[in-house]
Amino acid sequence: MLFATLAVAVGAGGCVPAVQEPLALSCSDYIGKPISARIAAWGPPKTVYRISPTQVGYIFESRQSAYIGGEPYYTVNYLIGADKHHAPVRKVTTICSGVFIVNAPTDAVPVDERIVVNVVSAKG
């Protein structure tokens, strides 16, 4: 009885779908990178303002949509053969909005040398 239960469990474990990969970088993935990487990926910021004498805030609002799914899978009926089907397609939207805080002691520091030190996400 125990052997039969183990065989069913091992057989069912092979049918677990693969984990989906992340669609895009999250906002916190930009910490430690130049703000120019964020601007290149999502376009110019909505607003730029000085937070303190050494820090500048960049306000971004970004939205990206992607369609995932549609992978083919097969069912087999030994009387009539195999049938090909497709997984449902669904729309996934990634929203990244908030303030990206960078160190910039003066306005003369080039954008590609301004490193993101914190991200304050907007909860909406």
Side-chain angles (χ1 to χ4, degrees):
M1 184 67 169
L2 179 62
F3 181 71
T5 305
L6 256 162
V8 170
V10 170
C15 297
V16 176
V19 176
Q20 294 287 335
E21 292 295 321
L23 292 176
L25 289 172
S26 69
C27 292
S28 62
D29 289 343
Y30 287 98
I31 293 176
K33 296 181 181 175
I35 192 68
S36 60
R38 175 70 170 89
I39 293 170
W42 295 97
K46 182 178 178 184
T47 307
V48 178
Y49 65 96
R50 186 155 290 279
I51 297 172
S52 71
T54 60
Q55 293 184 332
V56 176
Y58 290 79
I59 298 177
F60 285 96
E61 290 182 8
S62 303
R63 170 173 288 209
Q64 179 183 17
S65 296
Y67 293 93
I68 61 170
E71 297 87 10
Y73 67 94
Y74 298 89
T75 57
V76 177
N77 181 331
Y78 292 104
L79 297 176
I80 59 173
D83 292 325
K84 182 178 181 179
H85 305 281
H86 291 278
V89 176
R90 64 186 188 274
K91 182 178 179 181
V92 175
T93 302
T94 303
I95 299 171
C96 179
S97 61
V99 180
F100 287 71
I101 301 171
V102 301
N103 281 334
T106 67
D107 290 336
V109 175
V111 176
D112 53 343
E113 292 180 13
R114 296 180 182 192
I115 306 298
V116 177
V117 293
N118 195 9
V119 178
V120 181
S121 296
K123 305 281 186 207

